[in-house]
Amino acid sequence: MDKFMKAAIEEAKKGFLEGGIPIGSILVRNGEIIGRGHNMRIQKNDPLAHAEIICIRNAGRIGTYSDTTLYSTLMPCYLCAGAVVQFGIKKVIVGEAENFKGASEFMKEHGIEVINLNDSECREMMGKFIQKNTDIWYEDIGK
């Protein structure tokens, strides 16, 4: 497995251990991690604290994002896909899109390369969480 997806999975596990939703994200430039984050909606009582948003925020102002790749353990939702489009990130690599289809087509329509690794660890981690925490999951995603 790609070392950057492993780092995103570590972020997801970190969030879960904090009592949150196990979604992790990493921003990479020139083969180095420049930002990382995990979903913190529960921990911060913030509906916008998605993993990808936290990750980009933690990368800070870097001038241009066009030469970066965003990794996420789960296909980004429209909120996070909008941030990807807004900041000009050209490539998104996701662990899985089985538990949540997300905004893959939206990103592709905006010229973003989207790669789904269909990773079993990501699928199982998110699937178990959703099964045990249906109310928390649907609070954000809707039915």
Side-chain angles (χ1 to χ4, degrees):
M1 177 191 295
D2 182 291
K3 69 180 180 179
F4 300 122
M5 185 53 68
K6 283 183 182 179
I9 291 170
E10 288 172 16
E11 282 293 323
K13 289 178 179 178
K14 186 176 180 182
F16 180 72
L17 291 174
E18 293 172 355
I21 301 170
I23 303 170
S25 187
I26 300 293
L27 190 65
V28 176
R29 174 188 267 167
N30 297 325
E32 292 187 28
I33 295 173
I34 62 168
R36 57 177 67 234
H38 52 271
N39 189 295
M40 298 185 75
R41 284 192 319 106
I42 306 303
Q43 301 93 307
K44 292 190 176 282
N45 195 31
D46 179 352
L48 299 178
H50 291 209
E52 299 87 347
I53 301 297
I54 299 295
C55 176
I56 294 168
R57 181 180 288 144
N58 287 338
R61 295 180 63 229
I62 61 171
T64 181
Y65 295 80
S66 63
D67 59 347
T68 64
T69 300
L70 183 74
Y71 286 76
S72 182
T73 56
L74 185 67
M75 184 64 72
C77 68
Y78 282 94
L79 170 71
C80 299
V84 168
V85 170
Q86 177 68 33
F87 289 105
I89 297 168
K90 299 295 182 202
K91 187 174 188 178
V92 175
I93 300 175
V94 299
E96 66 109 348
E98 187 175 304
N99 286 296
F100 179 66
K101 300 295 180 209
S104 175
E105 291 306 313
F106 172 79
M107 290 186 287
K108 289 176 184 176
E109 289 168 4
H110 286 85
I112 297 161
E113 180 182 4
V114 179
I115 299 170
N116 180 1
L117 300 177
N118 196 25
D119 180 74
S120 60
E121 184 175 6
C122 291
R123 280 193 322 270
E124 290 170 18
M125 179 171 51
M126 199 67 228
K128 286 178 185 176
F129 179 85
I130 292 169
Q131 193 173 44
K132 291 180 181 177
N133 301 281
T134 307
D135 290 345
I136 291 171
W137 176 246
Y138 286 116
E139 170 189 305
D140 187 42
I141 298 304
K143 287 190 179 187

